[in-house]
Short mmCIF file of all heavy atoms in Angstrom, two decimals:
data_model
loop_
_atom_site.label_atom_id
_atom_site.label_comp_id
_atom_site.label_asym_id
_atom_site.label_seq_id
_atom_site.Cartn_x
_atom_site.Cartn_y
_atom_site.Cartn_z
N LYS A 58 104.91 56.52 56.86
CA LYS A 58 105.68 55.50 57.58
C LYS A 58 107.07 56.09 57.80
O LYS A 58 108.02 55.71 57.12
CB LYS A 58 105.76 54.25 56.70
CG LYS A 58 105.85 52.94 57.47
CD LYS A 58 105.95 51.79 56.50
CE LYS A 58 106.91 50.72 57.02
NZ LYS A 58 107.41 49.82 56.00
N PRO A 59 107.17 57.10 58.70
CA PRO A 59 108.41 57.87 58.80
C PRO A 59 109.67 57.04 59.02
O PRO A 59 109.61 55.98 59.67
CB PRO A 59 108.17 58.80 59.98
CG PRO A 59 106.83 58.52 60.50
CD PRO A 59 106.18 57.47 59.71
N LEU A 60 110.73 57.54 58.47
CA LEU A 60 112.02 56.85 58.54
C LEU A 60 113.01 57.76 59.25
O LEU A 60 113.06 58.96 58.99
CB LEU A 60 112.52 56.57 57.12
CG LEU A 60 113.90 55.93 56.99
CD1 LEU A 60 113.87 54.45 57.37
CD2 LEU A 60 114.43 56.08 55.55
N GLU A 61 113.77 57.16 60.16
CA GLU A 61 114.80 57.92 60.84
C GLU A 61 116.14 57.58 60.18
O GLU A 61 116.40 56.41 59.87
CB GLU A 61 114.83 57.50 62.31
CG GLU A 61 115.18 58.62 63.26
CD GLU A 61 115.23 58.13 64.70
OE1 GLU A 61 114.33 57.37 65.12
OE2 GLU A 61 116.20 58.49 65.38
N THR A 62 116.96 58.59 59.94
CA THR A 62 118.25 58.29 59.30
C THR A 62 119.40 58.87 60.12
O THR A 62 119.28 59.94 60.71
CB THR A 62 118.32 58.90 57.87
OG1 THR A 62 118.16 60.31 57.98
CG2 THR A 62 117.27 58.34 56.95
N VAL A 63 120.50 58.14 60.12
CA VAL A 63 121.75 58.63 60.71
C VAL A 63 122.74 58.64 59.56
O VAL A 63 122.81 57.69 58.78
CB VAL A 63 122.25 57.69 61.83
CG1 VAL A 63 123.57 58.20 62.42
CG2 VAL A 63 121.19 57.52 62.91
N GLU A 64 123.49 59.72 59.42
CA GLU A 64 124.40 59.85 58.27
C GLU A 64 125.84 59.99 58.74
O GLU A 64 126.13 60.75 59.65
CB GLU A 64 124.02 61.08 57.44
CG GLU A 64 122.61 61.02 56.89
CD GLU A 64 122.07 62.39 56.51
OE1 GLU A 64 122.86 63.24 56.05
OE2 GLU A 64 120.85 62.60 56.69
N VAL A 65 126.70 59.26 58.08
CA VAL A 65 128.13 59.37 58.38
C VAL A 65 128.93 59.00 57.13
O VAL A 65 128.51 58.14 56.35
CB VAL A 65 128.54 58.48 59.59
CG1 VAL A 65 128.25 57.01 59.32
CG2 VAL A 65 130.03 58.65 59.92
N THR A 66 130.03 59.71 56.92
CA THR A 66 130.90 59.38 55.79
C THR A 66 132.30 59.10 56.30
O THR A 66 132.90 59.93 57.00
CB THR A 66 130.90 60.53 54.75
OG1 THR A 66 129.57 60.69 54.26
CG2 THR A 66 131.83 60.22 53.58
N LEU A 67 132.78 57.90 55.98
CA LEU A 67 134.12 57.50 56.41
C LEU A 67 135.16 57.91 55.37
O LEU A 67 134.81 58.13 54.21
CB LEU A 67 134.19 55.97 56.56
CG LEU A 67 133.15 55.32 57.48
CD1 LEU A 67 133.30 53.81 57.43
CD2 LEU A 67 133.32 55.83 58.92
N SER A 68 136.42 58.00 55.81
CA SER A 68 137.48 58.32 54.83
C SER A 68 137.50 57.26 53.73
O SER A 68 137.64 57.56 52.55
CB SER A 68 138.84 58.34 55.52
OG SER A 68 138.86 59.36 56.48
N ARG A 69 137.38 56.00 54.16
CA ARG A 69 137.29 54.89 53.21
C ARG A 69 136.50 53.77 53.87
O ARG A 69 136.56 53.59 55.07
CB ARG A 69 138.68 54.35 52.85
CG ARG A 69 139.48 55.21 51.91
CD ARG A 69 140.56 54.38 51.22
NE ARG A 69 141.52 53.78 52.15
CZ ARG A 69 142.58 54.43 52.62
NH1 ARG A 69 142.79 55.68 52.29
NH2 ARG A 69 143.42 53.83 53.45
N GLN A 70 135.83 52.98 53.07
CA GLN A 70 135.14 51.81 53.63
C GLN A 70 135.91 50.52 53.37
O GLN A 70 135.52 49.46 53.82
CB GLN A 70 133.72 51.69 53.07
CG GLN A 70 132.76 52.76 53.60
CD GLN A 70 131.31 52.51 53.20
OE1 GLN A 70 130.86 51.38 53.08
NE2 GLN A 70 130.57 53.60 53.00
N CYS A 71 137.02 50.62 52.65
CA CYS A 71 137.75 49.40 52.29
C CYS A 71 138.95 49.19 53.21
O CYS A 71 139.95 48.62 52.79
CB CYS A 71 138.17 49.45 50.83
SG CYS A 71 139.15 50.90 50.41
#
Side-chain angles (χ1 to χ4, degrees):
Chain A
K58 210 181 142 200
L60 176 75
E61 214 182 316
T62 60
V63 179
E64 300 159 34
V65 59
T66 298
L67 305 176
S68 297
R69 285 201 299 276
Q70 288 188 34
C71 56

